[in-house]
Amino acid sequence: QQTKRTLHKMAGSVEVVALQAQLATMNATMNAEMNQLYVDVDTAWLVLTGSIVFFMQAGFSMLEAGAVSSKNVINILFKNVMDGAIAAICFWLVGFGIGFGDDDGHGIVGTNYYALVGIDGDLGDVKGYSYANFFFQWAFAGTAATIVSGSVAERTKFEAYLLFSAICSIVIYPPVVHW
């Protein structure tokens, strides 16, 4: 009778230990899934807000089109389209590395992530987050250059403005966000 009770208690203890191990495994899995959900929501938020910021380009285009003479409307609209394209190329090639690369202690410019080399998973341990972060920052870099376009509408040559857009996306915006 005593042996039977002892065996029953031991069997109950083994079941409790097994249940505790199973609960620990479930808890770890749930924590990993919740962390992934947080990253997914952050990534979606970056893409959504980056898209909203990018649509500021359209707003600036409409504002500038209404502020210039009718003969220059097409030029202004094309300039704003090219502004986004030049900002994308320059920010991808150099600007993101300057703004978000590691600075090796000198604090002025980044030394990696040029042309997005090496960002896979480095900015949030998930590939999509890194690219969403690039998209978000590119939208701001392009918008920073476009803000100036309204003040120089009908006053600059097209090529000169494209040069300014490239300089803004490489030299002006990235060091400011890096700092």
Side-chain angles (χ1 to χ4, degrees):
Q1 189 75 20
Q2 182 70 14
T3 307
K4 192 174 182 182
R5 258 190 229 149
T6 305
L7 286 174
H8 187 53
K9 284 184 181 177
M10 288 175 59
S13 297
V14 169
E15 287 176 7
V16 168
V17 169
L19 285 174
Q20 287 175 335
Q22 191 176 20
L23 282 173
T25 303
M26 289 171 57
N27 190 27
T29 303
M30 189 172 73
N31 284 340
E33 289 176 0
M34 287 303 294
N35 287 338
Q36 181 62 46
L37 178 64
Y38 292 147
V39 171
D40 291 345
V41 169
D42 286 349
T43 302
W45 182 251
L46 281 175
V47 171
L48 174 68
T49 54
S51 299
I52 291 169
V53 170
F54 181 70
F55 278 115
M56 289 174 67
Q57 296 270 10
F60 285 126
S61 294
M62 295 301 109
L63 175 69
E64 293 167 23
V68 298
S69 61
S70 60
K71 68 178 183 162
N72 290 327
V73 170
I74 293 175
N75 183 34
I76 289 294
L77 295 176
F78 185 65
K79 181 175 70 168
N80 283 323
V81 168
M82 290 306 296
D83 194 17
I86 294 294
I89 293 167
C90 292
F91 195 69
W92 165 75
L93 201 58
V94 180
F96 189 79
I98 291 172
F100 295 94
D102 300 325
D103 63 11
D104 296 335
H106 57 73
I108 297 172
V109 296
T111 58
N112 56 349
Y113 302 147
Y114 293 100
L116 301 184
V117 173
I119 74 161
D120 292 342
D122 205 12
L123 299 176
D125 297 324
V126 177
K127 188 180 212 178
Y129 180 82
S130 300
Y131 291 109
N133 187 41
F134 165 77
F135 172 73
F136 181 76
Q137 293 301 329
W138 161 71
F140 273 102
T143 301
T146 302
I147 289 171
V148 176
S149 72
S151 65
V152 297
E154 298 183 314
R155 294 177 183 89
T156 60
K157 290 192 178 261
F158 180 70
E159 297 82 8
Y161 180 75
L162 292 182
L163 179 63
F164 165 77
S165 180
I167 289 170
C168 185
S169 300
I170 294 172
V171 179
I172 298 171
Y173 181 79
V176 172
V177 297
H178 182 79
W179 186 46

